């Protein structure tokens, strides 16, 4: 590991207990910064309501840390929107945001569009499939941004159990993202959960970043933020354990392909020869190929969008 990364781990890697809630609240009052929590959601009716309820109870009603909770529905066919609204979130459908640009499927697309329907100086992203959710996830990632003006982006780190086994979650991280980062961006080798969906950043940073529309958004954001603001502006906070729904192996393969594509573009800004991935499923007549397209689109920095600039002027 690079000496720079070892130093970073000792100065920019914290626990949620390092910043008690009263300290974080005092910093928020002193600086006047506002905090938005965004949940990108696609068919998460079983979990999204509990997450929203915890954030509202712990961090809006009990203490005034969070200023808004917004669920961006990415085309759910279940009751995700209704459940989220009943729990107290403001729910916005992906297609209603910036209709001038037709939406495409993908997590990064939803995160990018969320900047247009939120107002916080600090934006906290939280995946909507978490179980046994604790508000420590939000206080943990928002805390360094509220208390340290030099910090620009904070990732949550945690244990990810799989089928009851500790440390076995995050398979795409270990098989794809971590090798890529260690080989090509070794300054980022200290991140425990580089692909984790729980992270917070200053709006002033997010609005300057391009957003891969799919699963490559987390890796792309880390790499681009490193080049834009430097390693010391990035941090991570231990928030305990993350329990969520795990994808099957083929879905993980598609995620890995999108992440590799994101890395490839950042390495060479070249063109994919074949932006697709073929996988195999056993059918009645043996193994049958299934070919999926790999996300090849990225959204530009939000500062280049006229509607966003107009909103800031207004």
């Amino acid at each position: 590991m690079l000496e720079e990364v070892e130093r970073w781990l000792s100065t920019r890697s914290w626990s949620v207990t390092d910043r008690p809630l009263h300290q974080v609240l005092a910093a928020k009052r002193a600086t006047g910064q506002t905090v938005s929590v965004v949940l990108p959601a696609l068919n998460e009716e079983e979990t999204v309501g509990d997450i929203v309820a915890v954030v509202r109870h712990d961090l809006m009603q009990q203490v005034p840390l969070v200023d808004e909770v917004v669920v961006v529905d990415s085309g759910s066919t279940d009751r995700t929107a209704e459940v989220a609204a009943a729990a107290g979130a403001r729910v916005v459908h992906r297609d209603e945001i910036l209709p001038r640009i037709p939406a495409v499927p993908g997590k990064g697309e939803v995160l990018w569009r969320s900047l247009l329907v939120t107002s916080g100086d600090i934006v906290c992203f939280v995946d909507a499939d978490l179980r046994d959710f604790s508000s420590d996830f939000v206080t943990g990632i928002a805390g360094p941004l509220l208390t340290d003006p030099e910090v620009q982006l904070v990732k949550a780190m945690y244990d990810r159990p799989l089928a009851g086994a500790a440390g076995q979650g995050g398979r795409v991280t270990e098989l794809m993202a971590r090798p890529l980062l260690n080989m090509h961006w070794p300054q980022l080798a200290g991140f425990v959960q580089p692909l984790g969906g729980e992270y917070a950043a200053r709006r002033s940073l997010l609005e300057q970043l391009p957003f891969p529309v799919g699963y490559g958004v987390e890796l792309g954001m880390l790499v681009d933020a490193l080049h834009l603001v430097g390693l010391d502006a990035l941090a991570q906070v231990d928030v305990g354990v993350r329990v969520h729904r795990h994808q099957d192996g083929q879905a993980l393969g598609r995620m890995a392909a999108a992440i590799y594509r994101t890395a490839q573009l950042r390495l060479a800004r070249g063109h994919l020869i074949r932006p697709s991935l073929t996988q195999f499923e056993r059918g009645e007549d043996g193994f049958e190929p299934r070919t999926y397209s790999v996300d090849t689109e990225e959204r530009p920095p939000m500062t280049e969008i006229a509607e966003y600039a107009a909103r800031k002027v207004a």
Side-chain angles (χ1 to χ4, degrees):
M1 184 176 290
L2 295 176
E3 182 177 339
E4 180 182 8
V5 176
E6 292 183 352
R7 178 192 56 77
W8 178 84
L9 281 169
S10 66
T11 61
R12 286 290 186 264
S13 188
W14 298 296
S15 166
V16 66
T17 58
D18 290 336
R19 289 177 176 80
L21 184 55
H22 68 83
Q23 179 184 346
V24 176
L25 285 169
K28 176 180 165 66
R29 286 192 296 269
T31 60
Q33 297 176 92
T34 53
V35 178
S36 299
V37 173
V38 172
L39 280 71
L42 177 62
N43 295 329
E44 302 294 357
E45 67 177 5
E46 293 185 6
T47 51
V48 67
D50 290 341
I51 298 172
V52 170
V54 169
V55 172
R56 282 187 54 81
H57 176 270
D58 292 2
L59 304 179
M60 297 180 77
Q61 297 167 353
Q62 297 279 42
V63 298
L65 182 66
V66 171
D67 297 279
E68 62 177 349
V69 180
V70 179
V71 171
V72 183
D73 190 340
S74 187
S76 298
T77 56
D78 65 1
R79 298 181 61 252
T80 289
E82 293 88 340
V83 171
R90 178 160 59 93
V91 180
V92 186
H93 194 281
R94 172 199 63 198
D95 297 345
E96 298 172 355
I97 307 169
L98 198 63
R100 174 176 64 84
I101 300 176
V104 298
K107 180 183 181 182
E109 177 83 349
V110 172
L111 300 183
W112 181 72
R113 290 176 186 263
S114 75
L115 296 181
L116 269 164
V117 293
T118 55
S119 59
D121 302 306
I122 293 168
V123 182
C124 303
F125 297 119
V126 176
D127 281 350
D129 66 343
L130 301 190
R131 301 181 183 277
D132 302 323
F133 177 77
S134 166
S135 57
D136 283 350
F137 275 74
V138 175
T139 55
I141 57 179
L145 293 161
L146 289 166
T147 59
D148 189 337
E150 296 183 357
V151 176
Q152 296 285 315
L153 183 149
V154 181
K155 297 281 292 191
M157 57 176 168
Y158 31 65
D159 294 317
R160 295 183 67 180
L162 176 63
Q168 296 303 305
R171 291 161 289 172
V172 176
T173 292
E174 300 303 330
L175 296 175
M176 176 59 71
R178 200 176 307 286
L180 282 171
L181 292 176
N182 275 265
M183 287 186 290
H184 299 297
W185 297 281
Q187 287 177 295
L188 298 174
F191 278 94
V192 175
Q193 297 291 352
L195 300 185
E198 290 67 49
Y199 50 98
R202 300 191 189 281
R203 177 175 295 272
S204 57
L205 171 63
L206 292 172
E207 64 188 14
Q208 297 181 69
L209 299 177
F211 277 60
V213 298
Y215 283 115
V217 63
E218 275 85 22
L219 183 133
M221 192 176 294
L222 264 187
V223 171
D224 294 339
L226 173 69
H227 290 304
L228 192 62
V229 297
L231 181 60
D232 282 339
L234 313 180
Q236 62 183 351
V237 174
D238 187 349
V239 296
V241 179
R242 183 185 197 266
V243 181
H244 67 118
R245 184 187 68 252
H246 290 279
Q247 305 274 6
D248 62 35
Q250 294 211 331
L252 295 179
R254 297 191 290 274
M255 291 172 61
I259 289 161
Y260 178 77
R261 171 262 171 192
T262 300
Q264 184 215 32
L265 288 182
R266 278 152 181 77
L267 286 168
R269 293 296 171 185
H271 298 285
L272 283 176
I273 296 173
R274 185 172 179 269
S276 60
L277 174 73
T278 299
Q279 298 177 316
F280 294 88
E281 298 176 6
R282 184 180 290 279
E284 293 181 0
D285 299 320
F287 286 103
E288 301 174 355
R290 299 283 188 273
T291 299
Y292 301 89
S293 61
V294 175
D295 296 319
T296 58
E297 191 169 354
E298 295 197 2
R299 295 305 190 190
M302 192 56 80
T303 51
E304 298 177 12
I305 299 299
E307 289 87 340
Y308 188 79
R311 191 192 74 160
K312 294 186 73 174
V313 170

